[in-house]
Amino acid sequence: MSLQRHRLDAEFALDPELCHLNHAAIGPWPRRTMEAVCRFATDNAARGSLDYLQWLEVETHLRHRLARLIGSDDSASIALLKNTSEALSVIAHGLPWRTGENVVGIAQEFPSNRIVWESLAPRGVRWRALDLDQSSDPEGDLCALCDEHTRLIAVSWVQYARGLRLDLARIGAFCRAHDIRFCVDAIQGLGAQPFSLADSGADFVVADGHKWMFGPEGLALFYAAPAHRQTLGLHQFGWHMVANPGDFEQYDWTPAPEARRFECGSPNLLAVHALEASLSLLEDVGISRIEPLIRERCDWLIEAIDRRGFELLSPRAPERRAGIITFRVPEVASERLYPALMANQVLCAQRGGGIRFSPHFHTTEETLTLAMERVEQLARG
């Protein structure tokens, strides 16, 4: 379970007593990301905005990296928004809805993927939710929830609580066949799993960068297929979203044809520098190499959970999971175990009725071993 350990030791300087198993919440910054932020801050303090054009070149590089991450060669379709919730809101309140239409999704979604669709109720749009606890075929049951009034299927690629990974290609094929738009929240998969825009059939892809991509909070990917960019109504306006943003005296303006039309104001260039550096690490290692490394760590955890007689709540089949492993210790309340783990430097989350561990490719076997030993000790105590 190693990957040129010396290289990773140079990139991740985590406290050896800390078991960081919370990439599904907020991932640690690699050293190169910390250094990029420090350089940006130092240059800003010493030179002001003299290097602004170079900062914008970094932003351009980031758009290309994000496009490659989702399997696209069209960086013009990438917008940089504040977070996943904002991106979902742009879609929800940009589509030209008709009264009586509906959105199909999943009941156990993170609140951002419920609230934004529920907010359409005053416009006569209904959110129809699949209960995963009652489904043995989530893709088939999602499609079965659709009717002639379904305008959009909106789901997370990987469910945040227990880590169920959906077969996007199956859902996407159904959407194309029935003229339904397909929105994918990829926040729990990008950086951990290969993503194919073509195979998924997604019309919209959204994801914050602060989880599996090792980036900062406050910057998110928003992909809108060219066919839908112009049809999404705009509700945020400013100097940056126009076709000629450098012409401050123009009065006859039009929105930019690129996805930048959804970016109303000044870019978050500090976060841009951070995320661009983090994605350079993912590209250096390679997502095709990262995915099996994460799978190894998840397999290790499942074996350790089984050996101790704990209850696995995450899917057991590798094709049904990404990097999230949620489990429960019998006769021990997760509400009690979680704060005890955090107090003992096991960085995790309480989700889906259990304890959620989310290792990344750099997580060592020593970290996993120490974390499970602490779980066992605290459960007995």
Side-chain angles (χ1 to χ4, degrees), residues 141-159:
D141 291 338
L142 276 167
C143 296
L145 271 179
C146 298
D147 60 19
E148 67 272 20
H149 302 297
T150 302
R151 187 73 175 280
L152 180 79
I153 293 181
V155 294
S156 291
W157 180 19
V158 179
Q159 294 296 306

Side-chain angles (χ1 to χ4, degrees), residues 104-230:
V104 168
I106 291 174
Q108 288 84 359
E109 286 278 10
F110 191 75
S112 295
N113 261 310
R114 285 189 294 101
I115 293 171
V116 69
W117 310 117
E118 291 173 334
S119 74
L120 295 170
R123 299 174 63 176
V125 178
R126 181 185 174 198
W127 181 62
R128 309 178 71 178
L130 171 68
D131 183 355
L132 285 178
D133 294 335
Q134 305 300 317
S135 175
S136 59
D137 178 16
E139 293 84 4
D141 291 338
L142 276 167
C143 296
L145 271 179
C146 298
D147 60 19
E148 67 272 20
H149 302 297
T150 302
R151 187 73 175 280
L152 180 79
I153 293 181
V155 294
S156 291
W157 180 19
V158 179
Q159 294 296 306
Y160 83 103
R162 295 186 176 182
L164 172 70
R165 175 158 58 106
L166 295 176
D167 183 346
L168 298 182
R170 185 178 170 193
I171 302 171
F174 174 85
C175 288
R176 288 193 296 272
H178 293 83
D179 194 27
I180 295 172
R181 305 293 173 260
F182 187 25
C183 175
V184 176
D185 177 350
I187 194 171
Q188 294 293 4
L190 285 183
Q193 294 280 321
F195 186 92
S196 170
L197 188 62
D199 291 346
S200 72
D203 298 294
F204 308 105
V205 181
V206 302
D208 269 289
H210 65 269
K211 298 184 187 291
W212 302 92
M213 288 185 263
F214 300 121
E217 292 185 282
L219 187 60
L221 153 76
F222 173 41
Y223 166 84
H228 305 304
R229 268 207 311 266
Q230 312 297 325

Side-chain angles (χ1 to χ4, degrees), residues 20-294:
H20 194 301
L21 295 170
N22 209 23
H23 295 85
I26 299 177
W29 286 6
R31 184 179 298 276
R32 67 178 69 187
T33 303
M34 177 192 70
E35 291 173 349
V37 169
C38 289
R39 284 195 302 272
F40 179 83
T42 300
D43 289 348
N44 201 325
R47 296 164 61 84
S49 61
L50 185 63
D51 297 325
Y52 196 84
L53 293 180
Q54 294 175 312
W55 299 348
L56 293 182
E57 290 179 9
V58 176
E59 182 190 58
T60 297
H61 294 322
L62 174 60
R63 291 183 197 272
H64 285 289
R65 289 194 194 276
L66 288 169
R68 289 194 294 269
L69 189 63
I70 63 172
S72 171
D73 58 3
D74 181 18
S75 63
S77 291
I78 302 296
L80 304 175
L81 300 187
K82 294 193 294 293
N83 46 57
T84 305
S85 298
E86 182 186 32
L88 290 171
S89 295
V90 167
I91 300 164
H93 291 276
L95 286 170
W97 299 99
R98 293 187 293 268
T99 299
E101 292 182 325
N102 63 70
V103 182
V104 168
I106 291 174
Q108 288 84 359
E109 286 278 10
F110 191 75
S112 295
N113 261 310
R114 285 189 294 101
I115 293 171
V116 69
W117 310 117
E118 291 173 334
S119 74
L120 295 170
R123 299 174 63 176
V125 178
R126 181 185 174 198
W127 181 62
R128 309 178 71 178
L130 171 68
D131 183 355
L132 285 178
D133 294 335
Q134 305 300 317
S135 175
S136 59
D137 178 16
E139 293 84 4
D141 291 338
L142 276 167
C143 296
L145 271 179
C146 298
D147 60 19
E148 67 272 20
H149 302 297
T150 302
R151 187 73 175 280
L152 180 79
I153 293 181
V155 294
S156 291
W157 180 19
V158 179
Q159 294 296 306
Y160 83 103
R162 295 186 176 182
L164 172 70
R165 175 158 58 106
L166 295 176
D167 183 346
L168 298 182
R170 185 178 170 193
I171 302 171
F174 174 85
C175 288
R176 288 193 296 272
H178 293 83
D179 194 27
I180 295 172
R181 305 293 173 260
F182 187 25
C183 175
V184 176
D185 177 350
I187 194 171
Q188 294 293 4
L190 285 183
Q193 294 280 321
F195 186 92
S196 170
L197 188 62
D199 291 346
S200 72
D203 298 294
F204 308 105
V205 181
V206 302
D208 269 289
H210 65 269
K211 298 184 187 291
W212 302 92
M213 288 185 263
F214 300 121
E217 292 185 282
L219 187 60
L221 153 76
F222 173 41
Y223 166 84
H228 305 304
R229 268 207 311 266
Q230 312 297 325
T231 61
L232 282 180
L234 296 172
H235 298 280
Q236 300 182 99
F237 298 86
W239 72 273
H240 192 262
M241 49 77 67
V242 300
N244 299 298
D247 183 357
F248 301 139
E249 297 182 2
Q250 63 181 315
Y251 291 94
D252 184 17
W253 59 269
T254 58
E258 306 91 352
R260 184 172 53 79
R261 67 195 286 118
F262 304 111
E263 304 169 8
C264 60
S266 297
N268 182 353
L269 288 174
L270 177 62
V272 162
H273 278 70
L275 185 56
E276 198 277 336
S278 294
L279 291 185
S280 74
L281 173 63
L282 294 183
E283 289 196 343
D284 284 352
V285 178
I287 294 296
S288 62
R289 197 174 181 194
I290 288 170
E291 185 273 332
L293 290 169
I294 293 176

